[in-house]
């Protein structure tokens, strides 16, 4: 399979785990240690390294899920990730992939929750792709409510 | 071609037939007999087998199009399906693929009409993929107006 | 690589250039001369050849970017293109690909800006795909504000 197909398959499995509430499998998509952050396009444009969410190990990713399960915010609404076609970057094992997330409220109303791009660096472990680094770069600067779900 | 590519091509042709109002070709994407239903994630979570729309033959699928043409609801607005990347399941010939549907009203206003996932089981007939079964699993429970168009 | 993958890669690179404000690279995705127009599904249904935006050379495409930079409209909001899976048409080197564009306003509000389909004819130049013709067919007839960004 080509790299493009491999990455497409990776994304499909990643968002499926999240959208069907299989959150405990989320850390498995990352190498350990790895780098994960959620930031904004505005922050990236200013060269800011900080993110609104940050993790560098499976332990930190798992803690996030545990907190989410306790807060129980996730249950009240559903999310649907749609991932576009990945753009392979010139550097091997790197890709950028646009995404959007729709949110379905408990009363059934659906809105466009978030858009942005995954800037990813992959490694291969036992023949499977893992994220060595994922920068989730959100288009919007209004991100307070975004902290609820993995992106 | 890989299975992932074959399925991607299938989805692209399927939604294209619907979105360009080529509805009479819709049954051709299914085996005959086959299983088609539209249901909700809430129903699936409760193990309910019933769907809000159900068909098990080309005849039933065609009837649906005939009813739709008579009602002429479809003409008043346009729909645009966007299908994400398919996730191949462990069982051969099965995949889950997220989708969203945007609706463009006659006055030009566009909104997010529906999101969900296609849970599909394929068979090969004369070298082409056909749906042996498609469960259209909607994220929202507000589905009354959804009955207008094929999903 | 298969044609489907080649086209998927083309789309990914095309929308990435636009969404990360690399607009000056936009003409490079076209042959020169070529044909580019933005039109509406209603116009196409009536057989109207005219488009609301039209270009047939790199020069005209570049002029459009220059005008856009001067007007500085693009800076005030962000756009995010999501491209679905391409449908290969029966004619070689032709494909149709659905897309949607989300718009993120300066205050962070995100809405569904446009949906439609790219109807494309490709040529190969030095091993890379270029657009010989792109018809951007919008689902909505409300297109005045659409003129701001390349689609």
């Amino acid at each position: 399979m080509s790299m493009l197909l491999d990455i497409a398959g990776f994304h499909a499995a990643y968002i499926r785990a999240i959208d069907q509430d299989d959150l405990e499998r989320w850390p498995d998509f990352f190498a350990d240690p790895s780098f994960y952050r959620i930031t904004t396009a505005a922050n990236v444009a200013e060269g800011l390294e900080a993110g609104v969410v940050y993790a560098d190990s499976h332990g930190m990713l798992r803690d996030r899920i545990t907190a989410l399960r306790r807060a129980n915010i996730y249950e009240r609404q559903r999310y649907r990730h749609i991932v576009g076609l990945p753009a392979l970057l010139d550097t091997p094992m790197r890709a950028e992939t646009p995404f959007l997330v729709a949110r379905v409220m408990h009363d059934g109303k659906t809105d466009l929750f978030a858009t942005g791009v995954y800037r990813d660096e992959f490694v291969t472990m036992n023949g499977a792709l893992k994220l060595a680094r994922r920068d989730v770069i959100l288009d919007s600067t209004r991100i307070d409510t975004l902290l609820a779900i993995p992106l």
Side-chain angles (χ1 to χ4, degrees), chain A:
Chain A
M1 277 218 298
S2 74
M3 188 63 191
L4 188 59
L5 275 181
D6 283 340
I7 291 175
F10 177 91
H11 287 315
Y14 179 101
I15 63 172
R16 181 169 179 262
I18 295 171
D19 286 347
Q20 65 180 14
D21 198 24
D22 227 348
L23 301 180
E24 281 69 19
R25 291 208 299 117
W26 180 51
D28 298 341
F29 292 95
F30 292 83
D32 189 17
S34 56
F35 180 96
Y36 175 80
R37 68 164 176 163
I38 303 179
T39 186
T40 65
N43 278 355
V44 170
E46 290 177 35
L48 299 179
E49 279 302 313
V52 290
V53 170
Y54 170 82
D56 64 9
S57 68
H58 277 198
M60 285 183 75
L61 294 167
R62 271 196 300 266
D63 284 351
R64 201 164 143 65
I65 298 303
T66 305
L68 191 56
R69 290 292 189 205
R70 267 192 206 126
N72 205 21
I73 298 167
Y74 186 75
E75 305 293 318
R76 290 178 225 156
Q77 51 222 12
R78 299 181 61 83
Y79 295 88
R80 176 60 57 196
H81 292 67
I82 301 280
V83 171
L85 304 169
L88 301 182
L89 305 192
D90 292 336
T91 321
M93 305 294 277
R94 296 196 188 206
E96 267 190 29
T97 310
F99 67 87
L100 69 80
V101 183
R103 178 176 51 179
V104 184
M105 305 304 288
H106 199 71
D107 67 357
K109 198 178 163 301
T110 301
D111 61 14
L112 202 47
F113 181 59
T115 63
V117 68
Y118 293 131
R119 184 174 294 167
D120 293 327
E121 184 178 337
F122 292 95
V123 288
T124 306
M125 291 173 61
N126 303 322
L129 290 180
K130 302 278 180 184
L131 287 165
R133 174 171 180 146
R134 164 160 287 188
D135 290 88
V136 182
I137 304 171
L138 297 171
D139 293 322
S140 175
T141 50
R142 289 205 307 195
I143 46 172
D144 41 301
T145 54
L146 287 174
L147 310 190
I149 52 155
L151 288 173

